[in-house]
Amino acid sequence: MGKHRRLSALGKKAAQSLEDLYGRQSLRRLLRAWHDPARLCAHPLARGRLVTQRLTAHHEETATAVRAVVRDFIERLRPASTVPSPLDRRWRAYLTLTEHYLEGKPLAEIARELSVQPVSCRRALQQALDALGTQLQEAEARAITSVAASTTSNSGQANWPINTAPVVSGPFIGRQRLLEQAESLLASGCRRLALYGLPGSGKSTALARVVRSPFAQAQFADGVLWAYLGAQPDLATILGDWGLALGLSQHDLGRLNTAQRAQTLRHLLDARHMLFAFNDVWQCEHIAPLLIGNEHCAYVLATSNAEVALVFADAHATLRVEELTLEESLQVLNALAPGLEADWREAMEEIAQACGGLPLALSLIGHYLRRESHAGQPRRIQAAFARLRERRARLSLQPALSEPSGLAPGARSLGETIALSVSLLSARERRGLASLCIFLPKPVTFDEEAALAVLRATVGDQAELKVLDRLVDASLIECRGTAYSIHPVIVDWHVAATSPRTEVIRDAARKAFLEHAVQRLRSPELCPLPPAEWNVALTAVQAAIEARAPQAAAHFAILLFDCLDRRGLRPLAERLLEIAEAGLPNDDSAQRHHLGILRGRVLLWHGELRAAIRHLDQVVADIRERATHLLPTALLALAHAHLQAGDARQALDACDQALALDEINRSPDQRLAALATRVSALGHLACYDEAEAAIQQTLSLARDLQRPVTETIVLIYMGALCWQRGRRAEAVRYLQAGLDLARRIDFRDRVLYASTALGIIAAEGGDDETAERYYRDALPLARQLNSLPNIVLLEYALGLLETQRQRFESARQHLSEALGLAEQHGFAWFSASAHVALGEYHLAQNALTDAEDAFTRGLELADQRGYADVAALGRFGLARVRAAHGDTIGACDLAESSLKELRARAHYRADEVAHWIDALPPTTPAQLEGLG
């Protein structure tokens, strides 16, 4: 009997609530919000039984479900005749309602169309609203009665499943593991679970997915109650919405204060198995009145505040919502803006990296790209990507419509979302965040020592530790063990929002950090630098550039130039050098001379070989008079310039001059560098025996001194030498060892060279698949580094591979590109080799005149520069052209000359030339007699 009385009471309350809900005034509010999803979702009907059933059945967004339910009942007002007629009085109510509210027409205009007075339209509209309300009220009452009188559970409680959580749509990528972890914790009896992470990291979506999962529906059979709190939650409204969903009337709720509403709902829930979801929780105190469940219930919250998550959740029941990987980020963008990846892959990757894996940013950008690319206009797509490269544009993107899913009220841009989190910090904490934004963003990290050095200068009062911890708890700074990091979007927001006041704070932070870094970074000899030191070095370089501090820029340019070069950060090194050169006094100091050496290296990067040589000749002359301790460094830079220009003899001479200096004997590292450069010069001159002996000596010294950079260089030199001498297996072994070591120390230029060399060896061995794999690895690195010699080598290698595959058009393009770049920048060895390769290409197509021209040009260049092996291959090419013309004697003479040179150097192609000579027709009387 008690149960029946309880059901009867619920029915009476529900009836009163329905009268309020479907009255004329309520329906007017609903229909006026027809085109505003946020207001539509806020209407009480959105939480009614009819809409809830629709959401469960169709998994739509809330606004879509509300429109579908109401539209269905509006159509029931439609007269039976199939053709609408404005003159038929039966159509007047239906047409007035639909045209006024759904199409937005004024009543006066509708009256003119119906040929009636406006008062008649108003009367028809009231009749339509009353009829619509009656139908909705009756249907809602039937739905409530059906649920209340449904089968009971084993415990004897009414089985009344409710789910007020929003239905989320769109891609759910990279979150499956998080969902599984949450379900596992809830299945094991966890009653308090917390999701936390950065603003915009997708916590709300993850929370909605958790509570709407099939697992949650099975585990909590009586349903889910959802609440959005925010910075200033309206607890009375939240409890009122829950009461309406549970069948209470507005009349009953209106008489109860917040505490009384919580108590009433606690009794109403009785022994039900329910899941409570709290979204965007800022303080634990906010949710205390909402914890109204019994021992069968559980609670899940989402928050940006790690401290809230830890205080609220059970032990081991806090789950961090991580950012997405680059691959996952691209999947999100491709799902939201399909069709762009094929032609705009690099731009998509660039934007995805700028988002730092933040789902809110990716979602806003994905929707924006879809709108801009729907017609496939390249101009418009290009303009969209150009806009997205600007941080202010990314931060200010707004959702196309107000948020319809109920995750959060209203529409917020990414910048507004971050600003809301920052607004809750104290003034001191905001200064601390501004200070830490001088650090490079994630994945670069910084340690506590560096962070505190900055905070001491900006927050003062010995509060640096407290401020740092508070920023970590607010999820604005991430901490993993001893490594801290700051998300790229947080840095973007802070830079975009910088004011004169915050710029003063950032200047103080940079100054303090540069002082810290100068004391901390003493020597770059350790390679690779430990991650903490490398990150300090990177931040110091960035701070010196942003502060335009010439003394610091000069210090770090000299100290870190090689490290930046090895890691492919040449633009950063060049910018550092420019600031140092512009700000330092133009005197004869050793620092100024050292910068002059670095300027010569930058000229080499840009392929300005002759300018680099002239510049370094002058630097060497100045140093001989004023700063002799820098002479070995200057001579080695000059040797490198000569090597790139193909002047191997001048490079060898510069190395020998450096090795003869007393200064170099006092520096094992400089001696080692000179020996390694000398090895390269000997290789270019095809002095293979001498080069191999020098390599063994240099390799032994590098290992004794534990200098992995030089060891990498020499291992790769040895591999190239073994390849030239036909020792293929040995070459692969050395090159692979050099490649592995280069990857370990992040020496990207040598990674590129070794990968290309291994590809060439694989191609010559007939293993095209392996060669292609090496080249695929090398291509993106070549684009990233823009290392001109390596780009030329890669184009040359691809041309050889395509010639071998008889893909002649592709081969011509690659070889022509290699030759064009080599000649444009004065890479003589590459020019000679590319001409010979083009000769092989033309010969393969029987274009004898073009082949002869290419071989002749390659031979002339090689003879001029002393490249004996390249010259020998040019002669062998001309020999085959002569033979094709029928000049067997001339062909034999050229081939014999080539063979002699190649045999003297044990070159790997010597046997090929010998076999070709043996296959020639007899040309001398002795040969003819022997044949007879």
Side-chain angles (χ1 to χ4, degrees):
M1 289 293 292
K3 293 178 197 172
H4 292 298
R5 280 197 299 271
R6 201 157 51 240
L7 287 174
S8 176
L10 280 173
K12 291 178 182 177
K13 291 177 180 178
Q16 178 63 47
S17 176
L18 293 180
E19 289 178 11
D20 298 337
L21 181 59
Y22 295 111
R24 194 182 292 172
Q25 186 176 358
S26 175
L27 287 178
R28 281 199 186 99
R29 287 201 315 273
L30 174 76
L31 292 168
R32 284 169 183 158
W34 191 260
H35 299 290
D36 186 338
R39 289 171 59 203
L40 207 57
C41 293
H43 193 277
L45 186 143
R47 295 179 290 279
R49 181 62 47 201
L50 294 174
V51 173
T52 302
Q53 289 175 345
R54 171 90 189 184
L55 288 169
T56 304
H58 295 275
H59 301 289
E60 299 168 324
E61 291 184 336
T62 305
T64 303
V66 172
R67 291 192 191 103
V69 168
V70 175
R71 187 79 197 203
D72 179 55
F73 282 92
I74 288 175
E75 288 304 307
R76 298 183 189 186
L77 302 180
R78 184 186 180 99
S81 59
T82 56
V83 180
S85 173
L87 302 178
D88 189 339
R89 293 173 61 88
R90 293 174 300 171
W91 280 90
R92 191 175 296 170
Y94 173 81
L95 290 175
T96 305
L97 179 69
T98 54
E99 292 190 9
H100 180 58
Y101 286 116
L102 307 192
E103 297 180 21
K105 289 184 180 180
L107 283 175
E109 181 180 343
I110 298 171
R112 284 195 301 272
E113 292 175 356
L114 297 178
S115 301
V116 297
Q117 294 296 319
V119 67
S120 299
C121 275
R122 283 194 289 273
R123 189 180 305 115
L125 191 60
Q126 291 173 358
Q127 292 170 356
L129 288 171
D130 290 342
L132 176 63
T134 300
Q135 291 197 26
L136 282 168
Q137 183 175 340
E138 290 173 354
E140 185 81 10
R142 285 195 298 272
I144 292 174
T145 304
S146 173
V147 170
S150 63
T151 57
T152 57
S153 65
N154 293 334
S155 63
Q157 298 299 319
N159 182 16
W160 192 0
I162 294 168
N163 197 331
T164 65
V167 176
V168 291
S169 58
F172 190 62
I173 293 167
R175 294 289 187 243
Q176 192 56 41
R177 175 168 168 72
L178 180 72
L179 190 60
E180 290 170 358
Q181 288 176 311
E183 290 177 355
S184 175
L185 286 165
L186 291 171
S188 65
C190 169
R191 294 193 65 236
R192 293 191 177 194
L193 172 65
L195 310 178
Y196 73 101
L198 275 167
S201 62
K203 303 179 297 296
S204 299
T205 301
L207 179 65
R209 294 278 186 173
V210 168
V211 301
R212 278 205 169 269
S213 68
F215 163 82
Q217 293 176 18
Q219 184 85 355
F220 301 96
D222 293 309
V224 176
L225 289 174
W226 172 281
Y228 173 83
L229 282 83
Q232 296 178 326
D234 185 344
L235 300 182
T237 298
I238 292 170
L239 290 166
D241 289 343
W242 287 358
L244 290 173
L246 292 169
L248 297 179
S249 70
Q250 290 279 16
H251 176 74
D252 286 340
L253 291 166
R255 296 182 300 173
L256 303 174
N257 61 29
T258 301
Q260 290 169 333
R261 288 184 179 188
Q263 187 63 28
T264 300
L265 292 182
R266 186 176 285 111
H267 288 305
L268 188 61
L269 290 173
D270 198 9
R272 296 187 182 197
H273 294 67
M274 298 201 74
L275 181 60
F276 292 81
F278 307 124
N279 188 29
D280 199 18
V281 179
W282 291 80
Q283 297 179 35
C284 284
E285 292 78 5
H286 290 167
I287 55 176
L290 304 178
L291 303 179
I292 59 175
N294 53 66
E295 68 274 11
H296 304 299
C297 298
Y299 306 93
V300 188
L301 67 76
T303 179
S304 294
N305 192 317
E307 186 177 8
V308 168
L310 291 165
V311 169
F312 172 80
D314 293 345
H316 309 297
T318 53
L319 299 178
R320 180 177 173 84
V321 182
E322 303 284 357
E323 302 92 282
L324 303 178
T325 65
L326 176 60
E327 193 55 42
E328 291 165 346
S329 299
L330 288 171
Q331 289 177 32
V332 172
L333 291 179
N334 289 329
L336 294 173
L340 289 178
E341 185 179 20
D343 297 325
W344 302 89
R345 171 81 185 189
E346 287 186 29
M348 295 274 275
E349 285 188 4
E350 181 184 353
I351 297 304
Q353 287 174 333
C355 292
L358 214 57
L360 176 58
L362 293 166
S363 175
L364 294 171
I365 286 172
H367 286 296
Y368 171 72
L369 286 174
R370 185 177 72 242
R371 295 195 300 274
E372 296 302 307
S373 66
H374 75 94
Q377 301 157 278
R379 167 189 52 80
R380 192 170 171 186
I381 297 170
Q382 189 171 7
F385 279 117
R387 184 188 175 206
L388 291 174
R389 290 187 183 98
E390 300 173 6
R391 56 169 60 95
R392 287 182 186 275
R394 293 195 301 271
L395 291 166
S396 63
L397 283 178
Q398 294 278 354
L401 296 171
S402 297
E403 178 61 60
S405 62
L407 295 179
R412 281 208 297 260
S413 68
L414 180 60
E416 290 166 342
T417 300
I418 297 170
L420 185 59
S421 292
V422 175
S423 68
L424 297 183
L425 300 175
S426 69
R428 177 178 289 167
E429 289 159 358
R430 289 197 292 273
R431 289 202 306 273
L433 181 62
S435 305
L436 295 179
C437 279
I438 69 162
F439 287 102
L440 293 171
K442 197 175 179 180
V444 177
T445 62
F446 52 95
D447 57 22
E448 193 161 281
E449 181 185 355
L452 295 180
V454 166
L455 292 173
R456 282 190 201 100
T458 54
V459 301
D461 297 334
Q462 298 182 337
E464 57 269 15
L465 276 173
K466 184 177 180 180
V467 167
L468 181 61
D469 292 344
R470 175 72 182 93
L471 293 174
V472 170
D473 290 345
S475 295
L476 295 169
I477 299 292
E478 185 178 334
C479 179
R480 297 293 175 87
T482 59
Y484 294 82
S485 62
I486 185 165
H487 196 276
V489 169
I490 302 294
V491 176
D492 282 349
W493 176 84
H494 204 281
V495 172
T498 292
S499 64
R501 176 183 175 83
T502 54
E503 194 52 47
V504 169
I505 295 169
R506 287 164 61 83
D507 284 341
R510 289 190 197 101
K511 181 179 178 182
F513 180 77
L514 287 173
E515 291 174 359
H516 167 77
V518 167
Q519 295 299 317
R520 183 166 171 177
L521 298 173
R522 294 292 186 178
S523 171
E525 291 177 359
L526 185 61
C527 184
L529 285 171
E533 302 306 300
W534 170 242
N535 292 334
V536 167
L538 268 184
T539 306
V541 169
Q542 189 69 35
I545 291 171
E546 289 178 355
R548 302 190 64 82
Q551 287 293 345
H555 175 81
F556 291 120
I558 293 168
L559 189 70
L560 299 171
F561 206 82
D562 287 333
C563 292
L564 295 169
D565 184 9
R566 285 195 293 272
R567 296 208 176 193
L569 298 174
R570 288 177 173 178
L572 203 58
E574 187 173 356
R575 184 73 185 120
L576 196 65
L577 179 60
E578 289 170 356
I579 290 170
E581 289 174 327
L584 283 181
N586 192 15
D587 55 19
D588 294 328
S589 68
Q591 197 174 46
R592 174 63 73 173
H593 288 307
H594 208 143
L595 296 179
I597 296 170
L598 299 182
R599 174 53 60 188
R601 291 176 59 180
V602 169
L603 289 171
L604 287 180
W605 292 347
H606 293 296
E608 301 175 35
L609 305 187
R610 291 302 157 195
I613 290 170
R614 287 194 300 271
H615 173 82
L616 288 169
D617 275 333
Q618 183 60 52
V619 169
V620 167
D622 290 344
I623 286 175
R624 285 188 193 278
E625 296 180 8
R626 299 182 178 89
T628 55
H629 68 284
L630 288 176
L631 192 53
T633 305
L635 285 168
L636 291 181
L638 181 60
H640 279 291
H642 280 305
L643 271 178
Q644 283 201 26
D647 304 327
R649 289 193 180 92
Q650 290 92 323
L652 193 61
D653 178 61
C655 288
D656 289 339
Q657 286 184 53
L659 287 167
L661 295 171
D662 292 336
E663 288 85 356
I664 206 166
N665 293 318
R666 293 192 287 271
S667 172
D669 286 296
Q670 284 192 325
R671 181 172 180 78
L672 185 60
L675 289 171
T677 307
R678 191 171 186 277
V679 163
S680 182
L682 291 169
H684 275 70
L685 292 170
C687 301
Y688 294 150
D689 289 334
E690 188 179 354
E692 189 163 353
I695 284 174
Q696 296 296 352
Q697 176 192 359
T698 308
L699 187 58
S700 176
L701 182 58
R703 286 171 172 166
D704 288 345
L705 293 173
Q706 296 184 343
R707 295 296 182 261
V709 171
T710 307
E711 184 180 348
T712 300
I713 294 169
V714 177
L715 282 170
I716 293 172
Y717 282 161
M718 188 65 177
L721 181 61
C722 290
W723 164 49
Q724 293 283 0
R725 309 196 83 172
R727 288 143 48 187
R728 186 172 180 277
E730 199 176 346
V732 171
R733 203 160 53 244
Y734 276 111
L735 284 168
Q736 191 62 57
L739 177 60
D740 292 343
L741 185 54
R743 283 175 172 157
R744 199 155 60 243
I745 64 174
D746 204 12
F747 192 172
R748 298 180 188 181
D749 185 80
R750 293 297 89 184
V751 168
L752 176 54
Y753 182 92
S755 297
T756 307
L758 283 165
I760 293 173
I761 294 173
E764 290 190 342
D767 189 353
D768 292 356
E769 186 177 333
T770 300
E772 199 163 14
R773 188 178 72 247
Y774 279 120
Y775 296 154
R776 274 200 309 269
D777 291 344
L779 276 168
L781 192 55
R783 286 196 293 267
Q784 175 198 339
L785 297 181
N786 197 30
S787 171
L788 287 170
N790 279 312
I791 290 172
V792 174
L793 176 61
L794 188 54
E795 292 288 349
Y796 169 80
L798 287 165
L800 294 179
L801 178 62
E802 296 297 78
T803 301
Q804 182 174 304
R805 290 172 157 180
Q806 296 190 337
R807 298 175 180 172
F808 292 119
E809 180 57 30
S810 177
R812 183 190 63 77
Q813 290 175 358
H814 285 298
L815 290 173
S816 298
E817 181 69 13
L819 180 59
L821 286 172
E823 290 186 335
Q824 177 187 348
H825 297 290
F827 300 144
W829 188 90
F830 281 119
S831 293
S833 298
H835 275 297
V836 171
L838 274 169
E840 299 282 358
Y841 157 79
H842 290 306
L843 196 58
Q845 297 184 90
N846 205 33
L848 299 182
T849 303
D850 291 336
E852 184 173 10
D853 290 344
F855 284 131
T856 300
R857 182 61 182 143
L859 175 59
E860 289 172 352
L861 274 173
D863 278 338
Q864 286 173 12
R865 300 301 182 108
Y867 310 144
D869 50 351
V870 179
L873 295 176
R875 288 189 181 89
F876 178 47
L878 286 173
R880 285 174 287 158
V881 173
R882 295 280 179 88
H885 282 304
D887 182 5
T888 308
I889 294 175
C892 187
D893 288 344
L894 282 168
E896 291 283 3
S897 173
S898 172
L899 179 60
K900 180 180 177 182
E901 199 71 60
L902 295 175
R903 287 279 192 224
R905 286 162 176 76
H907 195 279
Y908 76 101
R909 292 190 67 183
D911 289 342
E912 178 191 346
V913 177
H915 291 318
W916 186 85
I917 293 171
D918 290 343
L920 280 174
T923 57
T924 67
Q927 288 175 324
L928 290 171
E929 184 179 345
L931 186 63

